[in-house]
Amino acid sequence: MLGTGSAFAKTFYNNNALVYANGYTLLVDCGITAPAALHSLGKSPDEIHALLVTHIHADHVGGLEEIAFRMKFQYQRKPLLYVPEVLAVPLWENALKGGLSQDEGHTLEDYFDVRLMEEGHEYELAPGLCVEIIETPHIPNKASFSLYLNRHLFYSADMRFNPELLHSLVDQRGCDTILHDCQFINPGAVHACLDDLVTLPEFIQQRLWLMHYADNQPEYIGKTGQMRFIEQQRLYDDTELSKLNVEFNEA
Ligand SMILES: Nc1ccn([C@@H]2O[C@@H]3COP(=O)(O)O[C@H]3[C@H]2O)c(=O)n1
Ligand SMILES: [Zn+2]
Ligand SMILES: [Zn+2]
């Protein structure tokens, strides 16, 4: 995890992730703090093969201008950008155009090798890395897409509490690991809140890691039912994440 903080957290970086697969590096979301978070890990933007955007909020796309400029002018590269089809135009028109538009660039494609994604398809981004996008409710009338990775790990984009989806992923689709955004304050108007998440049955909680949390996260350690916090700037192996759950349950 590059960062695990909420949109307004100051002690945690924005909730963005680096996904590694056989030498390939995917950056999932690129918020305002992503360049600093990469720097603190000693990572150069040049090490990123592809980026993926879940939705248009600054904690998920606010760092794209810096990455786009540096890729173009510092590294002379056009990285792959995976974007849900409905977000491609608003991403350029409403988020990036103001800063990036200039003689050398007037479109998203001038900075990125754009790959549009649709729901209901699985995309093999690299050997050992398959991604499906699932539209999940967040802000009314504003599209946001969670991810299903390698047919076993669900990574929530910001989403409201949706127990039916979590049940169907676990019961019908072999989901053994859930990384879920979490808001501490009730009600979770645009996110799932902790009071909602602790109502999930234990077998779902035991697979669930909390992320996208506020600065007062330390106050909640030990108060999250069967769920655990995932930590920023730490490397997790996806098979280890599910193995640890089993060990945790047995302990
Ligand atoms: N209707 C809304 C819209 C936004 N927000 C807050 O703004 C943040 C934007 O980034 P986020 O991570 O989606 O979290 C949102 C809410 O904290 C909110 O609380 N209610
Ligand atoms: Zn967010
Ligand atoms: Zn959001």
Side-chain angles (χ1 to χ4, degrees):
M1 293 301 300
L2 194 56
T4 53
S6 65
F8 311 141
K10 298 295 175 276
T11 55
F12 301 112
Y13 295 112
N14 297 150
N15 201 94
N16 305 160
L18 285 169
V19 180
Y20 303 115
N22 301 311
Y24 181 90
T25 302
L26 171 72
L27 175 59
V28 174
D29 285 330
C30 181
I32 304 166
T33 64
L38 285 168
H39 180 76
S40 88
L41 282 179
K43 298 261 170 215
S44 154
D46 199 28
E47 294 172 53
I48 296 166
H49 296 96
L51 302 92
L52 188 156
V53 166
T54 62
H55 70 293
I56 301 176
H57 271 155
D59 56 322
H60 301 265
V61 300
L64 276 178
E65 178 180 311
E66 173 172 338
I67 299 298
F69 274 139
R70 291 180 64 189
M71 289 289 196
K72 189 174 182 73
F73 297 112
Q74 194 175 353
Y75 304 113
Q76 288 83 44
R77 268 190 56 207
K78 203 186 258 197
L80 286 159
L81 176 67
Y82 289 91
V83 58
E85 192 167 16
V86 295
L87 296 183
V89 171
L91 178 62
W92 177 255
E93 293 293 332
N94 306 121
L96 297 178
K97 185 178 177 180
L100 289 176
S101 189
Q102 56 179 51
D103 286 348
E104 298 90 341
H106 291 289
T107 67
L108 196 57
E109 289 75 11
D110 288 326
Y111 290 92
F112 299 101
D113 183 359
V114 179
R115 304 292 164 93
L116 301 177
M117 304 180 93
E118 287 174 38
E119 271 195 296
H121 295 267
E122 186 177 65
Y123 297 86
E124 185 175 18
L125 274 54
L129 180 56
C130 293
V131 180
E132 179 187 333
I133 58 170
I134 301 172
E135 184 164 8
T136 42
H138 176 34
I139 307 283
N141 302 313
K142 189 171 170 69
S144 180
F145 295 85
S146 296
L147 309 178
Y148 198 40
L149 301 173
N150 287 348
R151 299 186 191 184
H152 81 102
L153 187 153
F154 179 73
Y155 178 100
S156 79
D158 299 347
M159 63 181 256
R160 300 202 293 273
F161 187 50
N162 190 341
E164 296 79 16
L165 174 64
L166 301 178
H167 269 278
S168 76
L169 286 164
V170 171
D171 296 342
Q172 292 156 30
R173 300 201 56 196
C175 176
D176 60 24
T177 308
I178 298 167
L179 273 61
H180 208 298
D181 56 307
C182 172
Q183 176 181 302
F184 298 131
I185 294 170
N186 206 346
V190 301
H191 291 279
C193 70
L194 187 54
D195 286 351
D196 288 332
L197 291 165
V198 293
T199 66
L200 289 166
E202 285 200 352
F203 74 96
I204 295 188
Q205 288 191 41
Q206 284 158 356
R207 293 155 207 260
L208 196 151
W209 297 76
L210 303 166
M211 61 181 186
H212 203 291
Y213 40 75
D215 285 329
N216 59 344
Q217 176 261 357
E219 295 169 23
Y220 290 88
I221 294 171
K223 299 177 183 166
T224 58
Q226 298 285 303
M227 301 172 288
R228 288 159 289 166
F229 287 108
I230 199 156
E231 293 172 20
Q232 68 176 23
Q233 304 267 293
R234 269 193 64 187
L235 180 66
Y236 294 88
D237 185 291
D238 68 336
T239 54
E240 283 300 309
L241 280 170
S242 48
K243 253 194 253 159
L244 279 171
N245 286 349
V246 173
E247 286 165 11
F248 180 80
N249 298 344
E250 286 170 351

